[in-house]
Every structure is written in structure tokens, then in C-alpha cells.
Amino acid sequence: MVLTGNQIDLFEASMPRLKAIAYRLLGSASDAEDAVQDTFLRWQSADVDRIEVPEAWLTKVLTNLCLNQLTSARARRETYVGQWLPEPLLAGDPMLGPADTVEQRESVSFAVLALMERLSPNERVVYVLREAFGYPHRRIAEILDITEASGQQIFHRAKKHIAEGRTRTEIDEAAARRIVDEFLTAATSGRTEPLVRLLTADAVAIGDGGGKVPARTRPFEGAVAVAKFMRSLFTPNRAARNLLGGTAEIHVSYANGLPALVVTVDGRVIGVMCLEITADGIAAFRNQANPDKLERATRQWAATDHGEPVLRIN
């Protein structure tokens, strides 16, 4: 079927929402792009004139495509090398979607995206559509072909699983920047004690190298272990420079709605470290270093003005 200009415009108007939904469901910007493209192909072959509510139709098609991907992704991640973390989205990326409420902002954070890996595909869909996009339970039930009562039960179960695994991280932006600056000062001091004071007792550090770059297969756990790791990570040495392939520049930015350190070498993003900051201190460092998951970040970084780095590691 050949789409009219209005039908193409209607789909394009829906694309930002569809991409934001798909990213939250899949944790991968590239997979989200593919799912939206497949949705367009189905829109192109459908009898569009007979579709009464295009938004609902598109959301249902996209959701079913994502459900299929989630099932296969579970199998792939069982053989994934090391820790799995989502593909990071830098500040300003339209795929981040709505950010008006705490729930919307948290739904795209590394912490919650990682926790959603524990949910069943249906739980993940219900949680994302309800918590991040405010879909009524009736609409969600129609999308998943379940009863409204079942959808409500699934949502409460998913929300409980997420709540049990995370602490709310909503803090003032100025306070967050101050803590990040204090962390960088402590990390480059060569001493462990200043770092320990900035961390929560149960702090963790997780890295995703995807088998492409060196990364510990298990998280560092506890303030002392994390502090020692961070001290070594920010201490300049010849081995680190050889591994990085040049001088690393570190910028303070935001990724997935959280304060982040963006590490670049010759303009290429080689790491995005999100900091989970709570009232008690820094609770987690989640560092995405898998080059396959940093291509979008590198393109966006090259297209934006990010100022001078706060730190160089030679």
C-alpha cells in the first residue's frame, strides 16, 4: 500500500513516543530503532484507512515486536560476557522520552533499566507503559490481549520488584554536581579514605565491556572495595594509557537522567559512567564501556558542545 502524506506525517509524529517506549523495553537504542522501523513497515502494509485509533494500533504493533525481541534477548544475555548494562543515552537525546515526573525520569535510569531485566516480558511492558507513559490499565490490557484486572496485578507485581531493588535517586542538580566534583577530587588524590567517605556502605561498581574491552565479570561491592577500584581507575599510568590508546578526557555530563562521567579519547566516547547518588552518598557506579553500545553516544558527542574536560588522564 502506498501511504498518503498525511499517513506518513501521522507515523512520523508518533516516532518519538514509539522510540522512547522501545528503548525502555529493550535497553538498546539500536534495537529500538529497528523495532520502530519494523513498525513502520507494518503500517505501510496495513489498510490504514480502516484503523480507527492509529496511536493505539502503532503502540500494539511495536509492543508485540518488542515482546518478541525480549524473549530472544533473554537467551542472548545468558551467554553475554560479563555484566550487562543498557546502551547509554546522553542528555538531550530525544529517545529519553518524557521526563516531567520522578517516575518518568527513573524509568530510563541505568538502575531501573537493569532491574527491569528481572521482570518477565509482560511485566516489563505493563510497567513501562503505565509508569513512564501513563497509559490507562484498560489500554494496556487491549495492547497485551489480557483482562484489565490481570494487567493491574501484573503492574503491582512489577512495581514491587522494582521498588525492592532500588533507592530513589532524585536529588538537586547542583548538589549532584558538587558530589561529582568531590568524587573526582577524591579519586585523583591517590588515597582511599576520602573516597570511602563519599560512598554508601553497600556501594557497588559495575562495568560492561561485553567481552570487547577489559571489565570485571563481577561487581565490586562495599565502600572499601569500590574506593580502591576507583582510586586505581583514576590514577594515571603507562599501562592505562596504552589500553586507552591515548589521553583520556573526562567530562561531567548527564546520561539516562543521572550525573555521568563521559570518557573520550580523540573525540570517541570510550566510557559512560553513571553515578547513582542518594542522600547517604554515592550508591553505585555503572560504567558502559562496550564499544558496540557507545556508537550512538559518540555520534551525539561529536554533534554537541561539551566544553573543556574536567580531567585528563595521560
Side-chain angles (χ1 to χ4, degrees):
M1 176 181 175
V2 178
L3 297 176
T4 67
N6 286 340
Q7 291 165 343
I8 293 174
D9 290 344
L10 194 155
F11 182 84
E12 290 181 346
S14 299
M15 279 180 63
R17 177 180 54 83
L18 295 175
K19 288 182 179 181
I21 291 173
Y23 174 73
R24 283 166 169 80
L25 291 179
L26 302 174
S28 164
S30 56
D31 287 347
E33 294 275 9
D34 290 343
V36 173
Q37 179 61 32
D38 287 344
T39 301
F40 177 72
L41 294 177
R42 283 158 175 75
W43 175 252
Q44 199 171 29
S45 61
D47 188 351
V48 176
D49 290 332
R50 300 186 62 181
I51 297 174
E52 294 182 4
V53 187
E55 179 189 342
W57 188 94
L58 290 169
T59 304
K60 182 164 186 170
V61 170
L62 175 81
T63 300
N64 285 329
L65 288 167
C66 289
L67 282 171
N68 291 336
Q69 285 204 43
L70 283 170
T71 302
S72 60
R74 280 174 173 263
R76 290 198 307 271
R77 284 168 195 167
E78 287 178 2
T79 60
Y80 192 81
V81 179
Q83 300 291 312
W84 180 92
L85 289 173
E87 182 177 348
L89 299 180
L90 300 183
D93 193 314
M95 199 176 281
L96 287 167
D100 297 325
T101 67
V102 173
E103 290 76 15
Q104 288 173 336
R105 290 189 290 273
E106 286 194 340
S107 71
V108 79
S109 70
F110 262 28
V112 171
L113 287 173
L115 285 170
M116 281 199 281
E117 289 293 298
R118 305 177 187 179
L119 304 180
S120 71
N122 269 10
E123 286 175 338
R124 189 160 182 162
V125 168
V126 172
Y127 182 82
V128 166
L129 292 181
R130 180 64 181 171
E131 193 79 343
F133 294 90
Y135 276 65
H137 285 294
R138 175 183 55 79
R139 289 273 305 282
I140 296 172
E142 292 170 354
I143 289 169
L144 291 175
D145 292 323
I146 59 177
T147 66
E148 187 173 340
S150 294
Q152 290 175 330
Q153 290 176 352
I154 290 171
F155 173 68
H156 291 307
R157 187 164 62 242
K159 193 168 184 178
K160 181 181 179 182
H161 289 327
I162 296 294
E164 288 173 348
R166 66 99 165 84
T167 302
R168 287 193 178 276
T169 58
E170 189 82 350
I171 65 167
D172 176 76
E173 186 171 329
R177 177 58 193 258
R178 184 174 64 252
I179 293 172
V180 172
D181 289 342
E182 290 175 1
F183 163 73
L184 287 171
T185 299
T188 55
S189 69
R191 298 167 54 227
T192 303
E193 295 78 9
L195 277 168
V196 172
R197 288 196 292 270
L198 289 172
L199 307 178
T200 61
D202 58 351
V204 297
I206 303 168
D208 178 351
K212 306 294 178 69
V213 298
R216 183 180 167 93
T217 57
R218 294 177 61 83
F220 289 91
E221 298 180 341
V224 174
V226 171
K228 289 180 178 178
F229 171 63
M230 288 297 159
R231 183 193 63 193
S232 67
L233 198 62
F234 286 87
T235 300
N237 60 76
R238 185 182 298 273
R241 191 178 191 281
N242 291 338
L243 180 63
L244 294 171
T247 298
E249 296 185 338
I250 299 176
H251 296 258
V252 178
S253 185
Y254 271 77
N256 291 71
L258 292 179
L261 300 177
V262 178
V263 186
T264 65
V265 172
D266 296 329
R268 175 173 51 88
V269 176
I270 65 164
V272 176
M273 180 185 290
C274 289
L275 282 68
E276 183 178 340
I277 302 174
T278 72
D280 298 321
I282 304 173
F285 300 88
R286 295 181 175 87
N287 183 39
Q288 181 54 263
N290 183 343
D292 293 344
K293 298 182 182 181
L294 294 172
E295 293 178 1
R296 184 184 182 92
T298 294
R299 290 195 301 271
Q300 186 180 357
W301 192 255
T304 57
D305 179 15
H306 33 72
E308 290 296 311
V310 296
L311 182 66
R312 287 186 173 90
I313 299 180
N314 297 308

